Amino acid sequence: MMIFIGADYAALGLSPEELQTRMGKWFAWGNKMEQAGILRGGEALTPQVRRIVGENRTVSDLASAEIKEIVGGYYTVEAKDFDAVQAIAQDFPDYDLGGTVEIREIMVFDR
Amino acid sequence: MDHLFRHHSGKMVSVLTRIFGLKHLDIIEDAVQDTFIKASISWRKEQPQNPEAWLTQAAKNRVIDIFRKLKSQRNHLPSLSLGTDTIAINELFLDTEIEDAQLRMIFTACHPKLDPRDRISFALKTVSGFSIKEIASALLTKEDTIKKRLSRARKAIQKNDLKFSIPNGKLLHNRLESVMEVLYLIFNEGFHSNTKTQLIRSDLCGEAMRLCQLLLRRVAIRTPEVYALFALMCFHSARLEAKINSDNELLDLKNQDRSLWHFPLIQLGNTMMNKAVEIDSLSCYHYEAAIAAEHLRAKTFEDTNWKKLLYWYEQLNHLQPMPIHQLTMAVISMQNNEYSKAHAFFNLLKPNDFEQRAYLFYAAKADYFFETDNFNNALIYIDKALKTVTNTLEKNYLEKKKSNWLS
């Protein structure tokens, strides 16, 4: 699973043209994974966050001030190992906006 | 999908402004920005069948959101029920009404109460959906300056309670002049880019042409001057591709591959020009278009009709005396081997007349000295040009010329 963190478009003041260009890159990346037959799923997440923490169940709403922490979405892909996913993650479009890709392996349990 | 968001942004901001009024421009721009962010994220996986319709529907939905937001700010706003008001709002999203709203926005951007320096930035932001960063790089200005210009324009709109409308009669005539000037400047910024590297120059040309076409669609605004301005843009744009070679070097008219000139644009320009001359007194735009057309008419550089060009420039300079015209006349006189005439034109001019484009003066004068066998002065002047030029491509061009002279 590739988890996308940071790069909240709303906080960056991008122009419509810039947004469209960026969307095109995401689209191309998705197509590439689909054509390679490795894409299994994925969703975009809205930036609103509600977090419940600790014994007191403290509730907080994270505003976009903490954009670094916001997970913007994820893709699940099927690949041989970390290196293969790292290679496909080279095309992640938002590195230049300070975005991060986190790669995690989904654990498969024996039945 | 080409520029869909940018063009749609101008449409949406304009229509929503028509509904809510200019004083809510801030909220409207935020709402439109928001719609695009939403689209850019949700379309990552799959684009809708009809993106344009999707965006228009999103804009309509926004109307309700904005009403709610405004209502929470002040309670005396009418409540928007889903009955007849919705029908009225749907009407405002018809194509002709969208165009009307965009025209209103262009005319607002050129209102005399707005500082002329602020008009271009404001138009690029609201009508063309440029970000502050993009405007700053297009106009070779700091982002802070652009921010100041935009907020000054907004304040002027609020303070004078400007109406979102296209004026009539004599007022229309005056305002249209300012609109044409703004479009001309946007186009020029694209065509003679002052930026260090290329960036978005052809975008600016395209945007100016799109807005000019909007003017031509309206009978009351479709004047011969607007046709002439559009013809001028067509003629210049036809040469855009040929201005730079594959090594990203600037090519002057002499060295351009004329087969790269875009013929359909020349044709369109000619058609526009025919409509433009149905008038007795010609404008600056007419003469500038005539000059551009004269260059395009020549099969080779040597075939250029310099006598005719000098005539057009004399007419233009008569109507609108400017140092840059006189400088060009000096250059043309050299093409005609009339060096004393060129000298006389140079004597009318000082480098300061050209501000940040002083290098044009120095470079032309360097040519003059080279042609009249005053080699030392030619070198002195080309060095002055090199010292003041900002655009890298133009700098390379001048450096190449200098090294040719030295070899």
Side-chain angles (χ1 to χ4, degrees):
Chain A
M1 177 182 270
M2 285 183 284
I3 303 163
F4 314 126
I5 301 164
D8 177 14
Y9 290 180
L12 292 163
L14 302 175
S15 72
E17 187 84 350
E18 289 163 330
L19 283 170
Q20 193 180 332
T21 311
R22 221 148 260 290
M23 187 186 74
K25 286 183 188 163
W26 275 95
F27 199 58
W29 189 35
N31 276 348
K32 192 173 175 182
M33 288 188 272
E34 224 161 282
Q35 268 156 23
I38 59 172
L39 193 61
R40 292 294 169 266
E43 293 295 343
L45 303 174
T46 65
Q48 279 80 44
V49 176
R50 181 167 296 182
R51 187 176 278 176
I52 307 164
V53 185
E55 281 186 5
N56 296 333
R57 283 124 178 102
T58 310
V59 177
S60 62
D61 293 316
L62 261 76
S64 56
E66 290 100 338
I67 45 168
K68 281 198 192 103
E69 296 182 38
I70 288 177
V71 175
Y74 65 89
Y75 271 132
T76 45
V77 293
E78 197 169 306
K80 192 163 65 64
D81 52 21
F82 269 96
D83 290 344
V85 184
Q86 192 180 325
I88 198 81
Q90 295 304 312
D91 290 340
F92 170 67
D94 291 343
Y95 291 121
D96 59 332
L97 300 179
T100 307
V101 180
E102 218 169 81
I103 305 173
R104 302 283 295 268
E105 191 177 348
I106 297 174
M107 195 181 283
V108 184
F109 292 99
D110 296 327
R111 300 218 168 199
Chain B
M1 280 301 276
D2 206 22
H3 305 307
L4 172 73
F5 278 22
R6 170 168 290 170
H7 294 168
H8 221 81
S9 157
K11 289 182 189 176
M12 281 165 62
V13 170
S14 302
V15 174
L16 295 175
T17 303
R18 193 167 173 195
I19 297 171
F20 297 105
L22 275 165
K23 55 175 169 297
H24 299 304
L25 196 55
D26 283 352
I27 297 178
I28 291 165
E29 283 188 321
D30 282 350
V32 169
Q33 168 82 354
D34 217 46
T35 308
F36 288 119
I37 289 168
K38 224 179 196 166
S40 71
I41 292 172
S42 73
W43 295 6
R44 277 176 188 173
K45 279 179 70 188
E46 195 174 21
Q47 285 178 36
Q49 287 284 321
N50 185 343
E52 191 117 5
W54 191 100
L55 289 172
T56 305
Q57 189 53 50
K60 284 184 198 170
N61 295 342
R62 280 286 163 195
V63 174
I64 316 272
D65 293 348
I66 295 174
F67 253 108
R68 278 200 204 110
K69 195 160 186 179
L70 293 178
K71 233 175 125 46
S72 67
Q73 284 178 356
R74 55 187 85 189
N75 347 340
H76 58 269
L77 273 169
S79 70
L80 185 73
S81 64
L82 290 171
T84 46
D85 287 345
T86 322
I87 298 172
I89 284 168
N90 271 329
E91 295 267 298
L92 292 174
F93 281 93
L94 297 175
D95 284 348
T96 49
E97 296 299 323
I98 291 176
E99 272 178 19
D100 183 76
Q102 279 193 282
L103 279 175
R104 286 168 193 246
M105 192 56 99
I106 299 170
F107 279 86
T108 303
C110 299
H111 197 284
K113 294 280 183 197
L114 263 61
D115 189 313
R117 284 168 299 172
D118 303 341
R119 291 175 193 169
I120 297 179
S121 306
F122 186 79
L124 286 176
K125 180 83 167 62
T126 51
V127 192
S128 310
F130 281 66
S131 69
I132 287 169
K133 198 172 141 208
E134 284 171 325
I135 302 172
S137 84
L139 305 182
L140 204 71
T141 322
K142 291 197 194 86
E143 287 183 40
D144 272 348
T145 313
I146 300 298
K147 269 185 208 155
K148 268 182 216 141
R149 285 184 191 172
L150 290 174
S151 90
R152 196 162 53 192
R154 290 223 170 84
K155 271 189 201 132
I157 288 170
Q158 302 281 6
K159 194 174 131 227
N160 300 292
D161 196 18
L162 298 192
K163 295 286 165 292
F164 192 58
S165 61
I166 302 167
N168 294 314
K170 178 108 177 85
L171 278 180
L172 172 66
H173 176 80
N174 291 342
R175 189 82 65 85
L176 186 57
E177 285 205 336
S178 152
V179 169
M180 287 192 288
E181 195 186 315
V182 164
L183 299 190
Y184 176 83
L185 290 173
I186 293 176
F187 185 88
N188 254 353
E189 199 46 59
F191 195 69
H192 306 285
S193 176
N194 249 332
T195 50
K196 284 225 171 82
T197 50
Q198 270 196 271
L199 287 170
I200 50 174
R201 44 192 289 167
S202 58
D203 268 29
L204 284 181
C205 291
E207 198 51 33
M209 290 182 85
R210 184 177 76 94
L211 300 179
C212 197
Q213 272 176 310
L214 265 180
L215 298 181
L216 287 175
R217 287 212 201 103
R218 274 289 273 278
V219 179
I221 307 171
R222 199 185 291 157
T223 65
E225 283 86 0
V226 182
Y227 274 119
L229 174 61
F230 191 64
L232 169 65
M233 291 180 183
C234 290
F235 291 145
H236 278 330
S237 296
R239 289 200 293 112
L240 258 181
E241 293 291 318
K243 269 180 75 173
I244 289 164
N245 69 9
S246 51
D247 295 331
N248 209 24
E249 286 177 324
L250 192 74
L251 297 177
D252 58 12
L253 264 171
K254 198 172 188 169
N255 294 306
Q256 283 176 16
D257 177 356
R258 290 176 186 234
S259 68
L260 287 179
W261 289 355
H262 192 61
F263 189 65
L265 269 174
I266 299 176
Q267 244 175 344
L268 182 60
N270 284 334
T271 311
M272 295 294 121
M273 207 51 195
N274 282 331
K275 291 179 192 285
V277 291
E278 292 168 2
I279 190 181
D280 294 332
S281 63
L282 301 182
S283 67
C284 299
Y285 301 122
H286 284 87
Y287 290 119
E288 286 199 39
I291 288 162
E294 200 58 58
H295 282 298
L296 291 169
R297 209 163 281 146
K299 290 226 163 44
T300 63
F301 182 75
E302 289 68 31
D303 283 345
T304 312
N305 188 340
W306 298 109
K307 294 242 159 21
K308 195 74 190 280
L309 275 172
L310 192 59
Y311 170 79
W312 288 127
Y313 268 107
E314 277 163 0
Q315 300 298 315
L316 177 61
N317 192 53
H318 180 70
L319 199 64
Q320 181 194 48
M322 277 169 78
I324 191 76
H325 299 332
Q326 286 152 358
L327 180 66
T328 311
M329 289 195 277
V331 173
I332 294 175
S333 302
M334 288 197 277
Q335 291 296 338
N336 282 333
N337 297 323
E338 295 174 309
Y339 293 102
S340 57
K341 206 167 180 177
H343 187 71
F345 280 122
F346 278 126
N347 276 346
L348 297 172
L349 300 166
K350 295 184 298 294
N352 287 347
D353 295 337
F354 301 94
E355 293 174 23
Q356 77 271 31
R357 292 197 167 126
Y359 68 93
L360 291 174
F361 172 79
Y362 292 129
K365 217 156 172 191
D367 271 341
Y368 168 78
F369 285 126
F370 184 78
E371 297 293 336
T372 52
D373 298 327
N374 190 337
F375 195 60
N376 278 343
N377 270 343
L379 282 182
I380 290 171
Y381 272 85
I382 201 144
D383 281 338
K384 283 184 181 189
L386 278 166
K387 215 171 272 172
T388 44
V389 67
T390 49
N391 184 297
T392 318
L393 299 186
E394 284 177 303
K395 187 170 194 155
N396 295 343
Y397 168 79
L398 289 171
E399 257 159 9
K400 207 167 165 187
K401 180 177 247 180
K402 184 184 166 187
S403 66
N404 278 345
W405 284 353
L406 287 172
S407 61

